Amino acid sequence: MKKIKIGNFTPNLFSISCVAFLIFMLFRCAGQYPPPGGPIDTTSPNIIYSDPMLNSTFFRKNKIFLEFDKYMDQRSVQEAIFVSPDLGTLEFDWSGKELEISFEGKLRDNTTYVLIVGTSAKDRRGNNLAETFSLPFSTGESIDSCYITGKVYSEKPEAIKIFAFKILDRQSDTIDLTHTKPDYLSQTSKDGSFSLKYLGTGKYRLFAIRDVYNNLIYDAQVDQYGTAQFDVLLQDSITFFNNLNFRITLEDTTPPFISNVKSLNKHQIQIVLSEPVKDSAEFFISDILNFNSLQVNSYFLIKPNTFLLYTNSQDSIKYKLTTYKICDTAGNEIIPEKNQIEFYGSIINDTIAPYFEFQNIKNNENNVMMNKYFLVSFNEEIIQNSFVNGFHLLDSAGNDVPGNFVWETKLKVKFLPIENLKSKMKYKVKIDLDSLIDIFGNSIKDSTIILEFSTIDKNKLSSINGKVIGKTINLDYKNVIIEIFEVNKIRQKIMETKPNDTGEFVFNDIPEGKYILEAFSDKNGNMKYDFGRIKPFVHSEIFTVYPDTINLRARWPIENVSIKF
């Protein structure tokens, strides 16, 4: 083999291999990777230097410089950075632990800007920033100092964006979150808390948005949202507002449609909708050939998304069903393009017996509360008096427990014992099935259903009492609903109550455990919390959360709890 001579040195295969190895190791060591071995790094990264520096004034550059104390996951950092007011598209240039951010947008005169690095930014070991980093700077001679703090309550409260719009100088109804980026921006920490700092005086409208696409606009049915309970006015005399709280939900903007229609027999038609709906509706049925109408005598919502219609006698011909005024639980009304469907009628008689379900108790259930009522639902209309005569609640000695029947609808009845049940006692609910007769005379003969349960030991119960206080707002106690949630593997609401005319409330007969108290002002009287609306804009209902988890022990009542709005 002919050797290549370079100066006075003639390389051979071994020397070439050594040089190649040294070059490989040199480039390997130059790579920006954490050294192998040693304990796993679980510490949060930090920003150790910035240009501009914190609270700089008269800033006029078009670049911002940050330095981290660790090598960062670049994509997560870039997605976690935003500036308010918005500076348009940001460009990122990395060099090791250093990041240069440039922008083309022109800085406004005498304006305070804030660069935010959210907690979703992480290092290459996957460690996130411990808290949101804020870098305020101003193009004028001073930094705005007003601020708003609060908290977002959610199962996953971290990294939810807080959109703020200054509305003092604009029409508030012109704000369209689906196209307009916020004037000011913040992001929640791990516990859902946020701080919107460095604001000027003015009136602000705030939203909590889980910005899935990270595009700083609201995407309906993708982003969870929550509206603030009111607008916030910051003035020279009132430079801050604390405890502006949010709950978030996913907006439903899709109207329901008819999924299926089936004639069960000559007098019953079942209609299945695409989603749960409210129980009011209008139905019109006519035959396809002659357009003769088929009378709908009554209808019932037998499942969250299913209506049962009772009609005059049908023929075995094709019909067209048209529905009106059906709304889903979010209020979206069925549209004309989706409110019609064709089906064939039936001429067979109804020969199928009805059935029922217990809605709020299970067979062999233990620790049933002593103030228990019993809710029974049916799949079709029945003869009420017959069922009442065949229903029996029996104590351990076999004695009937007296009570009253309250028919919420023709398909749902509630049995309420006149007195509370006894502690630590076994009970039976006995229903004679031949008393369960539909309006066509169908029933199950010579059979009985028995459900057994036992009540809780009253010595394992306790109570919580206190008072609702309108600390920052005027409260109408008649609108306030207080809810108690058990803190376990899953969050479960166990009870609700309303305060009296002076704001006092009590929860009796609560099993020992850990609980959270929440309250809201049910302004529209629908007995549920309303999150507000993005478009058309509606404020959310006012709510509050008691700050401490209540550790309730049996026979040790918790007293004088103050729930402050």
Side-chain angles (χ1 to χ4, degrees):
M1 179 181 294
K2 186 177 180 180
K3 295 182 180 180
I4 301 173
K5 188 174 181 179
I6 304 176
N8 295 321
F9 172 68
T10 302
N12 55 27
L13 182 59
F14 175 77
S15 60
I16 292 174
S17 299
C18 290
V19 172
F21 177 77
L22 290 173
I23 293 173
F24 169 76
M25 291 301 294
L26 178 63
F27 277 96
R28 184 176 184 273
C29 293
Q32 297 166 355
Y33 294 92
I40 297 175
D41 178 14
T42 58
T43 59
S44 296
N46 295 288
I47 295 173
I48 57 176
Y49 178 77
S50 69
D51 180 21
M53 299 182 67
L54 190 71
N55 295 323
S56 292
T57 54
F58 299 108
F59 183 78
R60 291 294 180 181
K61 300 178 183 179
N62 67 342
K63 294 181 179 180
I64 298 172
F65 180 84
L66 299 177
E67 183 179 359
F68 296 84
D69 63 351
K70 292 182 171 186
Y71 292 107
M72 302 298 291
D73 176 76
Q74 296 179 4
R75 181 175 179 178
S76 73
V77 174
Q78 292 169 192
E79 291 180 349
I81 289 177
F82 43 90
V83 181
S84 64
D86 183 45
L87 286 175
T89 302
L90 303 178
E91 299 291 337
F92 301 95
D93 185 16
W94 288 87
S95 177
K97 302 174 186 177
E98 300 171 355
L99 172 60
E100 183 181 84
I101 307 165
S102 58
F103 49 89
E104 295 182 356
K106 183 180 179 182
L107 295 172
R108 306 176 194 172
D109 294 333
N110 299 314
T111 300
T112 296
Y113 287 85
V114 185
L115 178 136
I116 302 292
V117 185
T119 54
S120 58
K122 58 187 177 182
D123 63 24
R124 290 184 177 176
R125 293 287 191 184
N127 302 305
N128 293 78
L129 286 182
E131 58 185 19
T132 298
F133 172 81
S134 299
L135 175 62
F137 58 92
S138 176
T139 58
E141 63 180 0
S142 63
I143 300 288
D144 291 331
S145 59
C146 297
Y147 64 90
I148 300 171
T149 69
K151 189 171 183 178
V152 177
Y153 290 87
S154 170
E155 291 183 2
K156 296 179 180 179
E158 185 178 3
I160 296 171
K161 290 188 175 69
I162 305 300
F163 289 9
F165 295 85
K166 197 170 185 178
I167 62 174
L168 195 60
D169 301 324
R170 71 165 83 168
Q171 292 292 327
S172 60
D173 59 0
T174 63
I175 299 173
D176 185 354
L177 269 66
T178 62
H179 296 89
T180 308
K181 293 183 178 181
D183 297 326
Y184 298 91
L185 201 58
S186 185
Q187 193 173 41
T188 58
S189 298
K190 290 182 179 180
D191 65 348
S193 60
F194 70 88
S195 180
L196 194 62
K197 298 180 180 179
Y198 314 109
L199 301 174
T201 57
K203 192 175 185 179
Y204 294 88
R205 177 164 293 173
L206 280 77
F207 304 82
I209 306 292
R210 192 183 298 279
D211 189 12
V212 174
Y213 296 149
N214 202 38
N215 56 6
L216 300 185
I217 60 174
Y218 170 66
D219 295 287
Q221 298 192 105
V222 176
D223 297 337
Q224 289 181 298
Y225 80 95
T227 67
Q229 302 150 33
F230 38 73
D231 297 330
V232 177
L233 180 62
L234 301 175
Q235 308 174 70
D236 292 335
S237 58
I238 307 174
T239 60
F240 64 91
F241 188 93
N242 291 323
N243 300 320
L244 186 68
N245 298 329
F246 293 87
R247 287 174 172 169
I248 59 175
T249 188
L250 192 64
E251 184 179 17
D252 176 9
T253 61
T254 303
F257 60 86
I258 301 173
S259 295
N260 180 264
V261 171
K262 180 181 180 181
S263 179
L264 303 178
N265 53 67
K266 65 188 299 183
H267 291 293
Q268 292 179 323
I269 297 171
Q270 179 179 278
I271 305 172
V272 181
L273 282 301
S274 59
E275 59 178 311
V277 295
K278 298 179 181 180
D279 61 359
S280 60
E282 292 181 3
F283 300 97
F284 178 78
I285 303 174
S286 63
D287 70 77
I288 296 295
L289 185 60
N290 298 311
F291 305 105
N292 294 322
S293 63
L294 176 66
Q295 179 68 37
V296 177
N297 298 314
S298 61
Y299 66 87
F300 304 97
L301 189 66
I302 58 173
K303 294 180 181 179
N305 69 330
T306 305
F307 282 101
L308 179 66
L309 275 58
Y310 286 81
T311 69
N312 286 351
S313 294
Q314 305 166 27
D315 292 319
S316 56
I317 57 176
K318 183 180 282 190
Y319 292 93
K320 177 185 284 187
L321 167 76
T322 305
T323 68
Y324 302 97
K325 299 183 179 179
I326 291 182
C327 295
D328 64 18
T329 54
N332 301 302
E333 186 172 345
I334 195 167
I335 57 177
E337 294 81 3
K338 300 285 187 177
N339 72 337
Q340 292 184 337
I341 193 169
E342 296 179 356
F343 68 99
Y344 282 96
S346 173
I347 58 172
I348 65 171
N349 292 317
D350 179 12
T351 59
I352 300 175
Y355 63 86
F356 71 93
E357 292 180 341
F358 287 102
Q359 296 293 308
N360 64 341
I361 193 169
K362 298 178 181 178
N363 191 33
N364 296 319
E365 187 172 336
N366 297 318
N367 296 320
V368 173
M369 301 304 295
M370 293 177 291
N371 61 349
K372 186 72 175 181
Y373 66 85
F374 302 87
L375 186 62
V376 182
S377 65
F378 310 94
N379 70 315
E380 60 179 316
E381 189 175 354
I382 64 165
I383 307 299
Q384 296 181 4
N385 289 337
S386 176
F387 176 79
V388 167
N389 292 332
F391 181 99
H392 304 277
L393 175 59
L394 307 173
D395 62 21
S396 58
N399 300 314
D400 269 292
V401 177
N404 297 313
F405 290 88
V406 177
W407 290 88
E408 296 184 349
T409 70
K410 291 184 178 181
L411 303 187
K412 190 177 293 185
V413 65
K414 183 187 293 184
F415 177 77
L416 301 96
I418 294 175
E419 296 180 354
N420 280 354
L421 304 178
K422 303 295 183 182
S423 171
K424 293 179 64 176
M425 179 173 283
K426 293 184 177 181
Y427 288 86
K428 293 180 181 179
V429 176
K430 176 185 174 185
I431 298 178
D432 299 325
L433 291 184
D434 57 6
S435 69
L436 186 62
I437 308 171
D438 68 20
I439 60 175
F440 303 110
N442 300 302
S443 67
I444 300 176
K445 306 298 182 183
D446 301 324
S447 184
T448 301
I449 288 290
I450 294 178
L451 179 144
E452 298 182 345
F453 66 93
S454 60
T455 53
I456 195 167
D457 181 356
K458 67 180 179 181
N459 291 320
K460 294 182 179 180
L461 302 177
S462 193
S463 64
I464 301 172
N465 69 60
K467 189 171 184 177
V468 176
I469 300 172
K471 187 177 180 181
T472 58
I473 61 171
N474 293 322
L475 275 180
D476 185 348
Y477 293 127
K478 291 182 291 186
N479 293 335
V480 174
I481 295 177
I482 308 160
E483 302 172 308
I484 182 168
F485 297 86
E486 185 177 12
V487 182
N488 208 327
K489 293 181 179 180
I490 59 173
R491 170 184 159 100
Q492 183 177 3
K493 178 179 169 181
I494 65 166
M495 200 179 301
E496 67 180 37
T497 190
K498 296 177 74 70
N500 62 18
D501 292 341
T502 60
E504 296 173 335
F505 69 91
V506 61
F507 288 104
N508 288 317
D509 297 333
I510 305 174
E512 62 182 2
K514 294 183 178 181
Y515 297 94
I516 291 175
L517 292 179
E518 300 183 6
F520 67 95
S521 178
D522 185 27
K523 190 173 182 180
N524 61 5
N526 65 354
M527 299 300 292
K528 66 177 183 179
Y529 177 78
D530 289 289
F531 296 86
R533 291 182 64 89
I534 296 290
K535 190 177 181 180
F537 175 78
V538 178
H539 284 296
S540 67
E541 291 183 326
I542 298 171
F543 79 97
T544 187
V545 178
Y546 185 68
D548 300 321
T549 298
I550 296 176
N551 192 2
L552 189 64
R553 297 171 58 189
R555 298 183 295 170
W556 287 81
I558 301 293
E559 299 180 337
N560 301 319
V561 173
S562 294
I563 298 180
K564 299 177 181 179
F565 279 86

